[in-house]
Amino acid sequence: LHVSDMAASVGLGAMVFQHISRGQPLTRMTPELTALALLGGVILVTVATSIWPGGSVRVFTDLFIKLALIFMLMVNCATSPRRIERICWVIVLAFGYISALAWRDYALGRNLWEGNRIGGAVGGFFVEPNDLPLNIAAFLPLAMMYVQRPGPVFKRVLSAVIVVLMIGALLFTKSRSGMVGATAMFAVYLIVTRSITPTTTMAGIVAVMLVAPALPQAFWDRMASITDERTDPPGSPAARRVVLEQAWL
């Protein structure tokens, strides 16, 4: 039993018990939850025409249903700004833990893919060295926000440590898609939060000057293959083109 599955089961059970005891419907039906149900219906209806019907069914049963149940739980529980704040802080702490494990494994030479790329230590949709950095890039703004916003000094310092851990874990994966996603995320974050000032610009330049020389040559070689597929392992570009064509179809 995974801790996440157990926590979800307890949460869903408590929600159902509370709603039944109060004579309420099992769930609030919001436009978002309705849209999610319709998406599930589209998945099932189009299974017969998919390139891989068995895989489509497994995605629905092993992934979509679980995520839909968690989404339903959040719709019924995250009903105030304070509760949303708590969820966001738990997410930041969780990513700090996952990123710290990535630092540990990279230092010990464990859980490496392709010889030198770190994978997620907790499995699930963090396990591969492309999945982990994309999740980090998606949620890194939350940790950065906690550093910037007024609040307890301890919380801001801890958030800054988590930001460093997340960026380090992202770099250890040597993921090209992760780096592209993180770069775009940083640009959007700086624009939206209006953080482009002489101070932040100088701090960014200094950070790059300190970090860049410390990165191994394998990292730069992999990043260079973004624009030069000749440096990619044989078959990798062709495999991505096949997946892209399948997705288009």
Side-chain angles (χ1 to χ4, degrees):
L1 288 175
H2 293 287
V3 174
S4 58
D5 294 340
M6 294 173 62
S9 300
V10 172
L12 286 166
M15 183 194 76
V16 170
F17 176 79
Q18 183 186 64
H19 285 198
I20 292 178
S21 63
R22 294 180 178 180
Q24 298 173 339
L26 288 181
T27 180
R28 297 169 57 216
M29 286 306 299
T30 65
E32 296 80 11
L33 193 57
T34 301
L36 189 68
L38 292 175
L39 176 60
V42 170
I43 294 175
L44 290 177
V45 169
T46 56
V47 163
T49 60
S50 68
I51 293 175
W52 186 18
S56 299
V57 172
R58 280 198 291 274
V59 166
F60 182 82
T61 57
D62 297 346
L63 180 62
F64 181 83
I65 290 179
K66 292 181 180 179
L67 294 178
L69 289 173
I70 295 300
F71 189 85
M72 182 179 71
L73 181 61
M74 293 181 68
V75 163
N76 286 275
C77 295
T79 53
S80 69
R82 184 181 181 187
R83 289 186 172 186
I84 294 174
E85 163 84 15
R86 288 177 176 176
I87 290 176
C88 291
W89 180 236
V90 168
I91 290 173
V92 170
L93 292 176
F95 269 97
Y97 172 71
I98 292 170
S99 300
L101 292 181
W103 279 68
R104 180 203 65 184
D105 290 347
Y106 194 74
L108 298 177
R110 300 191 313 200
N111 198 26
L112 297 179
W113 295 57
E114 301 174 18
N116 58 10
R117 301 179 61 198
I118 196 67
V122 297
F125 52 83
F126 297 104
V127 66
E128 293 188 4
N130 285 324
D131 296 335
L132 176 62
L134 288 175
N135 280 284
I136 289 176
F139 289 97
L140 188 55
L142 274 182
M144 295 166 61
M145 177 269 296
Y146 278 114
V147 177
Q148 280 194 292
R149 72 184 301 195
V153 175
F154 173 77
K155 192 172 185 177
R156 298 181 68 181
V157 171
L158 179 58
S159 299
V161 172
I162 292 175
V163 167
V164 173
L165 291 174
M166 292 176 72
I167 293 175
L170 191 151
L171 294 174
F172 295 154
T173 64
K174 301 180 177 65
S175 170
R176 294 165 294 190
S177 56
M179 288 303 300
V180 172
T183 301
M185 179 279 299
F186 273 117
V188 172
Y189 182 87
L190 292 174
I191 293 172
V192 171
T193 59
R194 300 178 181 178
S195 301
I196 304 177
T197 64
T199 302
T200 57
T201 301
M202 184 59 64
I205 294 174
V206 171
V208 171
M209 292 176 64
L210 292 174
V211 174
L215 296 174
Q217 185 60 39
F219 174 85
W220 298 113
D221 291 341
R222 188 165 179 82
M223 294 303 108
S225 67
I226 293 177
T227 56
D228 184 6
E229 69 175 33
R230 293 174 300 177
T231 60
D232 238 1
S236 180
R240 286 198 296 275
R241 278 194 292 270
V242 169
V243 174
L244 183 61
E245 292 170 358
Q246 291 178 343
W248 176 258
L249 291 173

